[in-house]
Amino acid sequence: MEKIEQLIQTLQNENADAAWISHPINIFYLTGFKSEPHERLFALLVTKEGDQTLFVPQLDVEEVKASPYQGKIIGYLDTENPYAKHSAKYPKMLIEETHLTVKRARELETAFDVKTFDALDLTLKTLRNVKTEAEITEMRRAAELADKCVEIGVAYLKAGVSEREVVNHIENEIKKHGVSEMSFDTMVLFGDHAAAPHGTPGDRKLQDDEYVLFDLGVIYNHYCSDITRTVAFGQPSDEANRIYDIVKQAEQSAIDAIKPGVTISTLDNIARGIIEDAGYGDYFPHRLGHGLGLEAHEYQDVSNTNENVLEEGMVITIEPGIYVPNVAGVRIEDDILVTADGYESLSHYPK
């Protein structure tokens, strides 16, 4: 598998003996086997010679055998020490430093005589950064289903309905389209409640003449979507409408600048500049977006501090927002694929 081969090349380049991958999403990316181990040990060991060993609870062994993974499997009972089933020494080991716990690191030192740990995180992020055609196909469908969620939510809006009722309706109805899991907790916020960028839907009831913010996504064949729409219910105030127009202009201007070779910070600066020039700079408190794929938030960070450049095959979100307390909160977000000569928006619900 090409992904594993690139990982092995990294081991050889860094003169490391082995890589220990413990994040379930990264294990899935490299092996095709997905599991949530909870507190149990679940890890992929890859050596510089190319050997692969997957440590899994015994209860998962048969599912591993049915997966695309072709390497060695070490299954263990809850009462067994999984490390004791693999005898080897790896003086220099690459790990995901943002995931591996101190406890597990100490266990590795003891089990495999590890003397040095180095970070593997950037290598894995780089591998996942550019999507294959197969991944992009799944992400297109995930975005289509997110569009459908907003459509369902908008059709359910009526004066007096609560935010939580709309959330429940969306999540129940989208199951009829084959969706079993959302990318994250669905957000539906009404009027001034949407001025909290990460507000929690509750008992707030919809009133005439205010905006409704939908921020949601679904997981389709392991891949996430993440879109936001802010929709008028009746005739919102002039200031709320002005805020909406500014956010829409900021989002589209940033999207229009997307193509390979453009510095990522440029996108944030474009959108932020428009919002600042309109006098709302203090009300845009977050980055412009983030990478998207097997996780709803992943590499890259779409902010004004990221000097990396866009590459064909990246998928990112663009999501400027303005949040004015006691007035309105507006955010508009699309999932954008970087193409050979520009971009393709995977999300299409009207703005």
Side-chain angles (χ1 to χ4, degrees), residues 163 189-196 204 207 210-211 323-329:
E163 295 166 336
L189 303 173
F190 298 157
D192 57 352
H193 193 200
R204 166 70 153 82
Q207 303 166 22
E210 61 184 4
Y211 275 108
Y323 316 91
V324 181
N326 301 314
V327 178

mmCIF file of all heavy atoms in Angstrom, residues 163 189-196 204 207 210-211 323-329:
data_model
loop_
_atom_site.group_PDB
_atom_site.id
_atom_site.type_symbol
_atom_site.label_atom_id
_atom_site.label_comp_id
_atom_site.label_asym_id
_atom_site.label_seq_id
_atom_site.Cartn_x
_atom_site.Cartn_y
_atom_site.Cartn_z
ATOM 1 N N GLU A 163 -34.953 25.161 19.225
ATOM 2 C CA GLU A 163 -33.714 24.760 18.557
ATOM 3 C C GLU A 163 -33.525 23.251 18.647
ATOM 4 O O GLU A 163 -33.191 22.585 17.645
ATOM 5 C CB GLU A 163 -32.530 25.476 19.207
ATOM 6 C CG GLU A 163 -32.541 26.978 19.024
ATOM 7 C CD GLU A 163 -31.560 27.701 19.937
ATOM 8 O OE1 GLU A 163 -31.204 27.141 21.011
ATOM 9 O OE2 GLU A 163 -31.153 28.824 19.588
ATOM 10 N N LEU A 189 -29.159 27.380 15.928
ATOM 11 C CA LEU A 189 -29.263 28.505 16.855
ATOM 12 C C LEU A 189 -30.129 29.595 16.240
ATOM 13 O O LEU A 189 -29.994 29.907 15.056
ATOM 14 C CB LEU A 189 -27.869 29.059 17.180
ATOM 15 C CG LEU A 189 -26.853 28.070 17.767
ATOM 16 C CD1 LEU A 189 -25.480 28.726 17.884
ATOM 17 C CD2 LEU A 189 -27.317 27.554 19.122
ATOM 18 N N PHE A 190 -30.978 30.194 17.062
ATOM 19 C CA PHE A 190 -31.919 31.200 16.589
ATOM 20 C C PHE A 190 -31.497 32.607 17.002
ATOM 21 O O PHE A 190 -31.095 32.845 18.143
ATOM 22 C CB PHE A 190 -33.312 30.950 17.174
ATOM 23 C CG PHE A 190 -33.947 29.649 16.793
ATOM 24 C CD1 PHE A 190 -34.945 29.094 17.601
ATOM 25 C CD2 PHE A 190 -33.588 28.967 15.641
ATOM 26 C CE1 PHE A 190 -35.558 27.902 17.260
ATOM 27 C CE2 PHE A 190 -34.184 27.769 15.291
ATOM 28 C CZ PHE A 190 -35.173 27.228 16.104
ATOM 29 N N GLY A 191 -31.643 33.553 16.071
ATOM 30 C CA GLY A 191 -31.507 34.972 16.373
ATOM 31 C C GLY A 191 -30.257 35.345 17.129
ATOM 32 O O GLY A 191 -29.147 34.972 16.736
ATOM 33 N N ASP A 192 -30.425 36.079 18.232
ATOM 34 C CA ASP A 192 -29.270 36.548 18.991
ATOM 35 C C ASP A 192 -28.527 35.405 19.666
ATOM 36 O O ASP A 192 -27.366 35.559 20.051
ATOM 37 C CB ASP A 192 -29.691 37.598 20.025
ATOM 38 C CG ASP A 192 -30.758 37.092 20.986
ATOM 39 O OD1 ASP A 192 -31.290 35.983 20.767
ATOM 40 O OD2 ASP A 192 -31.061 37.813 21.958
ATOM 41 N N HIS A 193 -29.170 34.233 19.820
ATOM 42 C CA HIS A 193 -28.474 33.086 20.405
ATOM 43 C C HIS A 193 -27.326 32.627 19.502
ATOM 44 O O HIS A 193 -26.339 32.063 19.964
ATOM 45 C CB HIS A 193 -29.451 31.922 20.652
ATOM 46 C CG HIS A 193 -28.888 30.845 21.519
ATOM 47 N ND1 HIS A 193 -29.388 29.560 21.548
ATOM 48 C CD2 HIS A 193 -27.843 30.844 22.391
ATOM 49 C CE1 HIS A 193 -28.677 28.834 22.390
ATOM 50 N NE2 HIS A 193 -27.749 29.585 22.913
ATOM 51 N N ALA A 194 -27.455 32.883 18.202
ATOM 52 C CA ALA A 194 -26.403 32.511 17.255
ATOM 53 C C ALA A 194 -25.179 33.411 17.383
ATOM 54 O O ALA A 194 -24.150 33.154 16.750
ATOM 55 C CB ALA A 194 -26.939 32.559 15.827
ATOM 56 N N ALA A 195 -25.260 34.455 18.194
ATOM 57 C CA ALA A 195 -24.101 35.316 18.427
ATOM 58 C C ALA A 195 -23.057 34.610 19.285
ATOM 59 O O ALA A 195 -21.949 35.116 19.453
ATOM 60 C CB ALA A 195 -24.527 36.629 19.083
ATOM 61 N N ALA A 196 -23.378 33.441 19.821
ATOM 62 C CA ALA A 196 -22.388 32.576 20.476
ATOM 63 C C ALA A 196 -21.899 31.599 19.411
ATOM 64 O O ALA A 196 -22.643 30.692 19.019
ATOM 65 C CB ALA A 196 -23.013 31.826 21.646
ATOM 66 N N ARG A 204 -34.598 27.611 23.350
ATOM 67 C CA ARG A 204 -34.886 28.901 22.699
ATOM 68 C C ARG A 204 -35.863 28.666 21.552
ATOM 69 O O ARG A 204 -35.637 27.815 20.687
ATOM 70 C CB ARG A 204 -33.570 29.508 22.213
ATOM 71 C CG ARG A 204 -33.665 30.669 21.224
ATOM 72 C CD ARG A 204 -34.206 31.956 21.856
ATOM 73 N NE ARG A 204 -33.715 33.147 21.147
ATOM 74 C CZ ARG A 204 -34.236 33.642 20.039
ATOM 75 N NH1 ARG A 204 -35.258 33.044 19.444
ATOM 76 N NH2 ARG A 204 -33.725 34.740 19.507
ATOM 77 N N GLN A 207 -38.639 32.937 16.684
ATOM 78 C CA GLN A 207 -39.533 34.083 16.577
ATOM 79 C C GLN A 207 -39.516 34.604 15.137
ATOM 80 O O GLN A 207 -38.580 34.341 14.381
ATOM 81 C CB GLN A 207 -39.090 35.192 17.531
ATOM 82 C CG GLN A 207 -39.007 34.749 18.989
ATOM 83 C CD GLN A 207 -38.256 35.736 19.855
ATOM 84 O OE1 GLN A 207 -38.141 36.913 19.508
ATOM 85 N NE2 GLN A 207 -37.744 35.260 20.986
ATOM 86 N N GLU A 210 -36.034 36.774 12.291
ATOM 87 C CA GLU A 210 -34.669 36.584 12.785
ATOM 88 C C GLU A 210 -33.971 35.521 11.940
ATOM 89 O O GLU A 210 -34.604 34.786 11.174
ATOM 90 C CB GLU A 210 -34.658 36.212 14.263
ATOM 91 C CG GLU A 210 -35.375 34.927 14.624
ATOM 92 C CD GLU A 210 -35.395 34.674 16.135
ATOM 93 O OE1 GLU A 210 -34.914 35.547 16.886
ATOM 94 O OE2 GLU A 210 -35.873 33.614 16.553
ATOM 95 N N TYR A 211 -32.666 35.460 12.088
ATOM 96 C CA TYR A 211 -31.880 34.471 11.355
ATOM 97 C C TYR A 211 -31.767 33.167 12.141
ATOM 98 O O TYR A 211 -31.776 33.162 13.375
ATOM 99 C CB TYR A 211 -30.484 35.009 11.057
ATOM 100 C CG TYR A 211 -30.403 35.856 9.810
ATOM 101 C CD1 TYR A 211 -30.239 37.236 9.883
ATOM 102 C CD2 TYR A 211 -30.488 35.268 8.549
ATOM 103 C CE1 TYR A 211 -30.158 38.010 8.736
ATOM 104 C CE2 TYR A 211 -30.413 36.032 7.389
ATOM 105 C CZ TYR A 211 -30.245 37.401 7.492
ATOM 106 O OH TYR A 211 -30.183 38.160 6.349
ATOM 107 N N TYR A 323 -20.442 37.847 14.855
ATOM 108 C CA TYR A 323 -21.311 37.524 15.984
ATOM 109 C C TYR A 323 -21.444 38.758 16.877
ATOM 110 O O TYR A 323 -20.513 39.106 17.613
ATOM 111 C CB TYR A 323 -20.727 36.350 16.777
ATOM 112 C CG TYR A 323 -20.235 35.238 15.873
ATOM 113 C CD1 TYR A 323 -18.905 35.216 15.428
ATOM 114 C CD2 TYR A 323 -21.086 34.231 15.428
ATOM 115 C CE1 TYR A 323 -18.448 34.225 14.585
ATOM 116 C CE2 TYR A 323 -20.641 33.230 14.581
ATOM 117 C CZ TYR A 323 -19.311 33.239 14.155
ATOM 118 O OH TYR A 323 -18.862 32.250 13.315
ATOM 119 N N VAL A 324 -22.578 39.419 16.797
ATOM 120 C CA VAL A 324 -22.810 40.651 17.553
ATOM 121 C C VAL A 324 -23.833 40.355 18.651
ATOM 122 O O VAL A 324 -24.995 40.057 18.353
ATOM 123 C CB VAL A 324 -23.318 41.786 16.652
ATOM 124 C CG1 VAL A 324 -23.514 43.053 17.475
ATOM 125 C CG2 VAL A 324 -22.343 42.035 15.509
ATOM 126 N N PRO A 325 -23.414 40.414 19.915
ATOM 127 C CA PRO A 325 -24.339 40.117 21.017
ATOM 128 C C PRO A 325 -25.612 40.950 20.941
ATOM 129 O O PRO A 325 -25.579 42.135 20.589
ATOM 130 C CB PRO A 325 -23.523 40.470 22.262
ATOM 131 C CG PRO A 325 -22.097 40.283 21.832
ATOM 132 C CD PRO A 325 -22.054 40.721 20.401
ATOM 133 N N ASN A 326 -26.724 40.289 21.211
ATOM 134 C CA ASN A 326 -28.049 40.909 21.252
ATOM 135 C C ASN A 326 -28.550 41.366 19.875
ATOM 136 O O ASN A 326 -29.585 42.023 19.790
ATOM 137 C CB ASN A 326 -28.077 42.096 22.218
ATOM 138 C CG ASN A 326 -27.696 41.692 23.628
ATOM 139 O OD1 ASN A 326 -28.179 40.678 24.135
ATOM 140 N ND2 ASN A 326 -26.808 42.458 24.258
ATOM 141 N N VAL A 327 -27.798 41.030 18.819
ATOM 142 C CA VAL A 327 -28.228 41.400 17.465
ATOM 143 C C VAL A 327 -28.399 40.150 16.601
ATOM 144 O O VAL A 327 -29.513 39.768 16.245
ATOM 145 C CB VAL A 327 -27.238 42.380 16.797
ATOM 146 C CG1 VAL A 327 -27.698 42.704 15.373
ATOM 147 C CG2 VAL A 327 -27.117 43.653 17.619
ATOM 148 N N ALA A 328 -27.287 39.529 16.251
ATOM 149 C CA ALA A 328 -27.341 38.349 15.378
ATOM 150 C C ALA A 328 -25.978 37.681 15.331
ATOM 151 O O ALA A 328 -24.945 38.297 15.624
ATOM 152 C CB ALA A 328 -27.771 38.749 13.966
ATOM 153 N N GLY A 329 -25.989 36.411 14.937
ATOM 154 C CA GLY A 329 -24.762 35.691 14.624
ATOM 155 C C GLY A 329 -24.921 35.094 13.250
ATOM 156 O O GLY A 329 -25.917 34.416 12.958
#
